[in-house]
């Protein structure tokens, strides 16, 4: 909306809020009304914005995350004060950890009642201060347009993240003069996107001098939209590539230089390459504990080039030899330009032996699984799902074994096709995340790969999907257990399965539950029926589909680095550690 469209008109704060959201380019909001936010829901009826009434505010937040992660646009959720706002805390924290651009709008009790413990009062600004990129409390209706404009700018620029705008009911009910700002003034907020030329030259020098470099690619590469530039750098140099859980799809799985995912459940090739490297080029990654294992023994021979748009991440966990503050895409463009100039002058890196060593690890220790003598293998289900649905599909996941299997056994060729809860590890993410992704990208197939534990945390959003014509597909990997916890109990607690048996092959009946929610419910417990079941689900595109894959419960996620141990102690399978010698390079 331009300044002329409504500038100076006297309207309510609630009308100003909705007009401001329209002016910010919002087309979809996920939310639930309640007392404090109720004034905003009246003008919303006349708005061009589609509001999707969820069944729980956590679902609204995760849907906004899925929407943002699939499309690159800012996701928006809305809730009332008190419990409505506190129910958004988990998705806000999740978005903060995974750098998801999201704006959360919450109602607040009237300004005069703040601090009185009024009905449904909660200091949501204070509660969310550690888990938002920034947040606002708006008590003056005249400030609404500016704060909304600032919120969207902050959420989507620099390192993306969640911004909360808490608006008092008194501000929503008061009269105000609406004017959309033509410029923003945010002193102190100046994200650096262009990298320093000296640091780029120094990085290029280290890359040309090294003999065992690795491109360590994190989720910032996805957020930056830098996949094309990453491919250019990788193919120019021939350097092996690893992609973190948050970066799956940033680099094609089919590419011969790709070694897979590093970390606790990463491939042997990816973990081994980082451990034996002499130079790690980190691109939008943060050296988190799930990648490094015991930090003291992580990549002991490697120098570090760390490129990130957030200066706070550089050197936070690992000393950095060449820090580069900037947008990953801009960093890659400059690196490619500099290295091409060097190559034109005859200066190229010598990585032949290293590339052969990494390729040998990849060939010798491929990701694989044992097929059970009886029952259905969860890895096989996910593998076939990836093959039959294909690389254009968007996949979401909850947290646990099914998440790791989905990261390994679906082949990702494109960015923004793998959406999951990485840093926070939130059970229940998959279904509302898929809902948001499908709203953002209605022409793409969206599969939620979920566990029977995760699914039971947020499956009420199937009602939202059925009523609002959001035909997601859900594959429940039903091992009737909290599978990852059970795996740890098997390995570290003498198979004492304390409170991990969900009995979910009996209660609930997922097929009947799907039917009750207005979805199509299917089940499968035989390898022979897997393909036909997936094909049947793929043919249904007018309503949501839920498939209960009843898999055997003792499958484990391998490879594995036990928490707190060195990546050198990676196990390829139970009681089987890979043998690779650095002297072979």
């Amino acid at each position: 909306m331009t300044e002329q469209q409504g500038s100076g008109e006297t309207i309510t704060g609630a009308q100003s809020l909705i007009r401001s959201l329209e002016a910010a380019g919002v087309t979809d909001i996920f939310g639930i009304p309640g007392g404090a936010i109720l004034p905003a829901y009246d003008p919303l009826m006349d708005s061009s914005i589609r509001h999707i009434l969820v069944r729980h505010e956590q679902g609204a937040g995760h849907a906004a995350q899925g929407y943002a992660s699939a499309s690159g646009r800012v996701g928006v959720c809305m809730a009332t004060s008190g419990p409505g706002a506190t129910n958004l805390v988990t998705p806000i924290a999740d978005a903060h950890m995974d750098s998801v651009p999201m704006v959360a709008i919450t109602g607040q009790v009237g300004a005069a009642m703040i601090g009185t413990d009024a009905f449904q009062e909660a200091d949501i600004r204070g509660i969310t201060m550690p888990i938002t990129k920034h947040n606002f409390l708006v008590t003056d209706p005249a400030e609404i347009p500016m704060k909304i404009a600032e919120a969207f700018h902050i959420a989507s620029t620099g390192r993306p993240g969640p911004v909360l705008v808490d608006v008092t009911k008194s501000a929503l009910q008061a009269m105000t003069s609406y004017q959309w700002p033509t410029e923003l003034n945010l002193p102190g907020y100046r994200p650096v996107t262009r990298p320093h030329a000296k640091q780029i030259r120094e990085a290029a020098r280290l890359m040309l001098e090294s003999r065992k470099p690795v491109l360590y690619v994190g989720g910032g590469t996805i957020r930056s939209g830098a996949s094309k530039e990453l491919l250019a750098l990788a193919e120019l140099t021939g350097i092996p590539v690893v992609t973190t859980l948050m970066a799956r799809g940033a680099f094609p799985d089919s590419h011969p230089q790709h070694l897979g995912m590093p970390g606790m459940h990463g491939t042997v090739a990816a973990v081994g390459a980082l451990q034996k490297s002499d130079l790690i080029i980190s691109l939008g990654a943060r050296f988190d504990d799930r990648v490094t294992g015991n930090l003291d023994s992580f990549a002991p021979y490697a120098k570090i080039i760390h490129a990130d748009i957030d200066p706070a991440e550089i050197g936070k966990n690992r000393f950095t030899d060449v820090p580069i503050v900037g947008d990953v895409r801009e960093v890659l463009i400059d690196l490619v330009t500099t290295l091409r100039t060097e190559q034109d002058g005859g200066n190229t890196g010598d990585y032949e032996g290293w590339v052969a060593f990494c390729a040998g690890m990849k060939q010798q220790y491929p990701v694989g699984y044992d097929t059970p003598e009886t029952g259905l293998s969860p890895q096989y289900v996910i593998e076939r799902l990836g093959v039959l649905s294909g690389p254009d599909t968007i996949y979401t996941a909850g947290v646990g074994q099914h998440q790791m299997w989905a990261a390994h056994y679906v082949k990702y060729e494109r960015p923004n096709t793998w959406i999951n809860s990485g840093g926070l590890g939130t059970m229940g993410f998959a279904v509302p995340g898929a809902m948001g992704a499908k709203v953002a990208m209605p022409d793409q197939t969206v599969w939620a790969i979920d566990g029977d534990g995760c699914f039971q945390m947020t499956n009420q959003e199937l009602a939202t999907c059925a009523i609002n014509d959001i035909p997601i597909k859900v594959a429940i990997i039903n091992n009737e257990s909290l599978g990852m916890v059970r795996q740890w109990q098997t390995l570290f607690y003498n198979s004492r399965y304390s409170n991990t048996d969900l009995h979910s092959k009996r209660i609930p009946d997922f097929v009947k539950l799907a039917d009750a929610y207005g979805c199509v419910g299917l089940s499968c417990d035989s390898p022979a029926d897997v393909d036909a079941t997936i094909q049947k689900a793929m043919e249904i595109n007018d309503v949501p589909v839920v498939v209960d894959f009843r898999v055997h419960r003792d499958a484990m996620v391998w490879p594995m680095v036990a928490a707190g141990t060195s990546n050198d102690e990676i196990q390829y399978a139970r009681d089987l550690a890979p043998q690779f010698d650095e002297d072979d390079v």
Side-chain angles (χ1 to χ4, degrees):
M1 182 181 290
T2 65
E3 187 177 336
Q4 287 70 36
Q5 292 175 288
S7 175
E9 183 184 354
T10 301
I11 56 177
T12 66
Q15 289 172 312
S16 177
L17 174 62
I18 301 306
R19 287 200 186 181
S20 298
L21 292 170
E22 291 169 351
V26 175
T27 56
D28 303 276
I29 293 177
F30 304 89
I32 300 181
I37 196 68
L38 192 57
Y41 270 80
D42 186 66
L44 193 55
M45 281 193 79
D46 303 317
S47 172
S48 61
I49 297 172
R50 178 190 185 190
H51 179 276
I52 295 166
L53 177 63
V54 297
R55 296 304 181 264
H56 191 287
E57 290 89 354
Q58 183 179 349
H62 290 322
Q65 286 183 273
Y67 183 98
S69 298
S71 67
R73 302 191 297 272
V74 177
V76 184
C77 54
M78 194 150 73
T80 196
S81 63
T86 58
N87 280 344
L88 286 177
V89 167
T90 295
I92 288 171
D94 196 297
H96 184 65
M97 288 285 275
D98 288 347
S99 305
V100 180
M102 183 171 90
V103 170
I105 310 292
T106 53
Q108 183 56 274
V109 299
M113 304 177 74
I114 291 176
T116 68
D117 290 335
F119 177 65
Q120 289 192 331
E121 181 187 358
D123 178 12
I124 196 62
R125 189 176 181 219
I127 290 167
T128 61
M129 199 162 282
I131 55 169
T132 49
K133 191 174 175 186
H134 193 66
N135 60 23
F136 301 94
L137 171 62
V138 182
T139 59
D140 181 354
E143 291 185 354
I144 289 172
M146 180 62 79
K147 296 310 179 191
I148 292 296
E150 290 175 354
F152 277 82
H153 177 71
I154 293 168
S156 59
T157 55
R159 179 180 182 171
V163 177
L164 179 127
V165 183
D166 194 34
V167 188
T168 61
K169 188 171 186 177
S170 53
L172 293 173
Q173 291 175 321
M175 302 304 291
T176 185
S177 178
Y178 171 80
Q179 185 170 350
W180 183 247
T182 54
E183 62 180 39
L184 302 178
N185 181 25
L186 290 165
Y189 183 67
R190 300 274 191 280
V192 174
T193 58
R194 293 284 297 142
H196 197 289
K198 179 173 179 265
Q199 301 304 88
I200 292 291
R201 288 195 300 272
E202 184 63 14
R205 183 184 68 79
L206 281 188
M207 290 170 72
L208 292 168
E209 288 179 356
S210 74
R211 292 295 174 265
K212 294 178 282 185
V214 178
L215 290 167
Y216 162 42
V217 178
T221 308
I222 298 265
R223 300 285 181 249
S224 175
S227 295
K228 179 180 161 188
E229 291 74 17
L230 172 64
L231 184 64
L233 177 67
E235 293 190 335
L236 177 70
T237 60
I239 295 173
V241 179
V242 303
T243 54
T244 67
L245 179 68
M246 293 306 298
R248 304 290 288 112
F251 192 76
D253 275 357
S254 59
H255 200 286
Q257 285 169 240
H258 193 222
L259 302 180
M261 182 176 76
M264 174 179 274
H265 292 294
T267 67
V268 171
V271 173
L274 288 174
Q275 286 300 98
K276 303 303 180 185
S277 66
D278 66 3
L279 178 67
I280 293 174
I281 304 107
S282 175
L283 301 166
R286 56 189 178 86
F287 292 89
D288 67 286
D289 62 291
R290 281 305 192 258
V291 166
T292 66
N294 184 338
L295 200 57
D296 292 339
S297 61
F298 173 70
Y301 316 108
K303 291 184 176 179
I304 305 293
I305 298 167
H306 193 173
D308 202 290
I309 200 162
D310 185 356
E313 287 296 345
I314 296 176
K316 183 179 79 175
N317 293 329
R318 171 69 180 253
F319 173 79
T320 300
D321 296 274
V322 181
I324 305 176
V325 178
D327 181 88
V328 169
R329 184 170 175 273
E330 301 283 352
V331 171
L332 286 166
I333 289 170
D334 287 4
L335 273 175
V336 167
T337 301
T338 303
L339 289 166
R340 278 199 177 122
T341 301
E342 292 286 342
Q343 284 194 9
D344 291 343
N347 189 8
T348 58
D350 177 13
Y351 317 132
E352 188 176 345
W354 172 242
V355 168
F357 170 72
C358 292
M361 276 197 296
K362 182 177 175 181
Q363 183 176 9
Q364 187 174 358
Y365 300 106
V367 175
Y369 56 91
D370 294 325
T371 302
E373 292 182 10
T374 59
L376 183 57
S377 161
Q379 299 99 319
Y380 177 72
V381 169
I382 292 169
E383 188 174 57
R384 294 307 300 161
L385 181 59
V387 169
L388 294 172
S389 197
D392 290 326
T393 295
I394 295 171
Y395 302 90
T396 69
V399 169
Q401 287 182 315
H402 69 278
Q403 177 192 28
M404 295 296 106
W405 290 323
H408 279 307
Y409 295 106
V410 175
K411 299 306 176 189
Y412 300 99
E413 299 294 313
R414 298 172 182 82
N416 305 313
T417 55
W418 165 246
I419 301 170
N420 76 126
S421 171
L424 196 65
T426 304
M427 291 180 69
F429 177 89
V431 170
M435 175 172 68
K438 185 66 175 175
V439 171
M441 310 298 285
D443 296 330
Q444 285 182 253
T445 301
V446 179
W447 272 100
I449 299 175
D450 218 357
D452 49 309
C454 286
F455 179 72
Q456 292 185 77
M457 291 198 170
T458 52
N459 64 39
Q460 67 271 13
E461 300 309 336
L462 289 174
T464 310
C465 292
I467 289 168
N468 290 281
D469 299 319
I470 307 169
I472 65 169
K473 304 179 193 300
V474 182
I476 305 172
I477 308 302
N478 181 2
N479 60 4
E480 56 190 333
S481 303
L482 296 171
M484 190 62 89
V485 184
R486 179 183 166 90
Q487 174 167 333
W488 281 51
Q489 287 172 333
T490 301
L491 296 173
F492 308 119
Y493 292 89
N494 299 316
S495 299
R496 288 163 56 85
Y497 299 118
S498 173
N499 291 282
T500 47
D501 189 347
L502 293 172
H503 305 282
S504 41
K505 288 183 183 175
R506 294 189 299 109
I507 300 171
D509 183 322
F510 288 132
V511 174
K512 287 182 179 178
L513 183 69
D515 183 60
Y517 274 131
C519 308
V520 172
L522 306 171
S523 66
C524 177
D525 58 12
S526 167
D529 297 331
V530 167
D531 281 18
T533 305
I534 294 171
Q535 294 280 20
K536 186 173 181 181
M538 294 288 292
E539 291 166 4
I540 300 168
N541 292 304
D542 54 344
V543 294
V545 184
V546 178
V547 188
D548 180 10
F549 288 104
R550 301 181 165 207
V551 301
H552 83 109
R553 74 187 319 178
D554 292 319
M556 291 196 188
V557 179
W558 300 108
M560 179 177 178
V561 179
T565 65
S566 169
N567 281 355
D568 289 325
E569 298 176 49
I570 186 172
Q571 289 179 264
Y572 181 57
R574 193 169 184 180
D575 302 323
L576 182 62
Q579 301 296 316
F580 44 74
D581 191 342
E582 190 199 1
D583 295 334
D584 295 337
V585 182

